[in-house]
Amino acid sequence: MGVIVKDSNRQHKFLSILFVVAIPVFLITLNVTWVVNDLRFYENGFRNNNISLTTGIGEEDLSVVAQGIRGYFNSFDEPLSIRTKIFGNERELFNSREIIHMRDVKHLIWGVYILGSVAAIYITGNIAVGFLILGPGYGSILCNLTIRGAIATIGFVAVIGITALLGFEDLFRIFHQISFRNDFWILNPSTDFLLMMFPQKFWFDTTLFLGAIIMGEATVLGGAASVTIFGIRSKRRI
């Protein structure tokens, strides 16, 4: 009997840890998904980094290119093929090396989609099963787990943010070395339009922006859970 209870406690602890981990995973993947699919984000990034001047591609054409990239990420179409006007001459935008890298980026983005979906399903399922088995008593447990998940999110994002501020170039390189099994991500910023359109400053700004949004969401989530658990405890005292 003691072994069964011990195994049950271990299982409960493991599922609780998974829930806490699922919260930062869900918040991060949710916001990355939003950025990947928000055309305005591309356009603002292009405008803020003077990409039209750097590439010779008009702002309207850059918007069309962004739509093409977004469509490619959300399709099964291969290979990526985008034609646009560069200094008035229409041509294929990306070379073979850039096209291969974009295929790898697409696979990475699909991984983000899948990971986010799994996290969302687990969180929803855990909550449903928790209330089904424990009833209203699960509310306090849920709030505690949510607070821990929010703290974990804030801590993780803060570490990434501080690392980015101290040395974004190193962080950017390490990310690519971990995420990709080849070196097609190593491109020439003077000749490859993928780097001209998405320079390191674009990704630095994006990282800080995402970090601020995610930390804000985690703070609101943790705060709501704290207020809720305070209300639950206050009712119990009455």
Side-chain angles (χ1 to χ4, degrees):
M1 181 66 72
V3 174
I4 295 175
V5 172
K6 189 177 292 186
D7 288 343
S8 177
N9 289 336
R10 286 176 180 173
Q11 185 179 31
H12 174 71
K13 187 175 182 179
F14 176 71
L15 293 176
S16 296
I17 291 173
L18 277 183
F19 187 91
V20 171
V21 171
I23 290 176
V25 170
F26 173 71
L27 290 177
I28 292 170
T29 55
L30 176 68
N31 285 281
V32 170
T33 297
W34 163 53
V35 164
V36 167
N37 289 281
D38 190 346
L39 188 62
R40 292 171 302 176
F41 192 83
Y42 291 82
E43 292 172 341
N44 289 335
F46 293 155
R47 200 173 299 114
N48 292 337
N49 289 280
N50 298 312
I51 302 303
S52 181
L53 184 64
T54 304
T55 60
I57 304 172
E59 289 192 3
E60 290 186 6
D61 289 328
L62 279 172
S63 182
V64 174
V65 169
Q67 291 179 50
I69 292 173
R70 181 182 62 180
Y72 169 74
F73 285 151
N74 292 293
S75 74
F76 293 102
D77 297 339
E78 291 291 349
L80 171 64
S81 178
I82 296 178
R83 295 186 65 85
T84 191
K85 290 181 180 179
I86 301 173
F87 293 111
N89 298 314
E90 185 171 326
R91 50 159 283 187
E92 193 71 29
L93 180 59
F94 301 122
N95 60 40
S96 58
R97 191 175 181 87
E98 293 170 293
I99 289 170
I100 293 173
H101 178 56
M102 288 295 274
R103 180 197 62 196
D104 294 338
V105 172
K106 176 197 275 193
H107 293 164
L108 183 64
I109 289 172
W110 284 4
V112 169
Y113 290 169
I114 294 170
L115 191 60
S117 298
V118 170
I121 291 169
Y122 180 77
I123 291 171
T124 304
N126 186 289
I127 294 172
V129 172
F131 278 111
L132 184 65
I133 296 176
L134 301 177
Y138 182 70
S140 295
I141 297 173
L142 175 61
C143 288
N144 280 317
L145 292 176
T146 301
I147 292 169
R148 293 176 188 175
I151 292 172
T153 304
I154 293 170
F156 176 76
V157 174
V159 169
I160 296 299
I162 293 170
T163 304
L165 290 170
L166 292 176
F168 184 74
E169 187 173 347
D170 291 334
L171 178 65
F172 196 67
R173 185 186 69 255
I174 292 170
F175 168 79
H176 281 78
Q177 289 172 338
I178 293 173
S179 301
F180 305 111
R181 297 181 180 179
N182 54 54
D183 64 355
F184 287 104
W185 58 272
I186 301 176
L187 300 169
N188 188 335
S190 299
T191 58
D192 295 327
F193 281 91
L194 194 56
L195 282 192
M196 292 184 200
M197 290 178 60
F198 301 98
Q200 202 167 99
K201 186 179 181 302
F202 180 101
W203 298 116
F204 176 74
D205 294 342
T206 300
T207 300
L208 295 185
F209 175 79
L210 278 174
I213 292 294
I214 294 167
M215 289 182 73
E217 292 170 348
T219 300
V220 171
L221 187 63
S226 298
V227 170
T228 302
I229 200 169
F230 178 78
I232 292 173
R233 289 173 179 174
S234 296
K235 287 181 180 179
R236 287 176 180 173
R237 295 192 191 102
I238 298 175

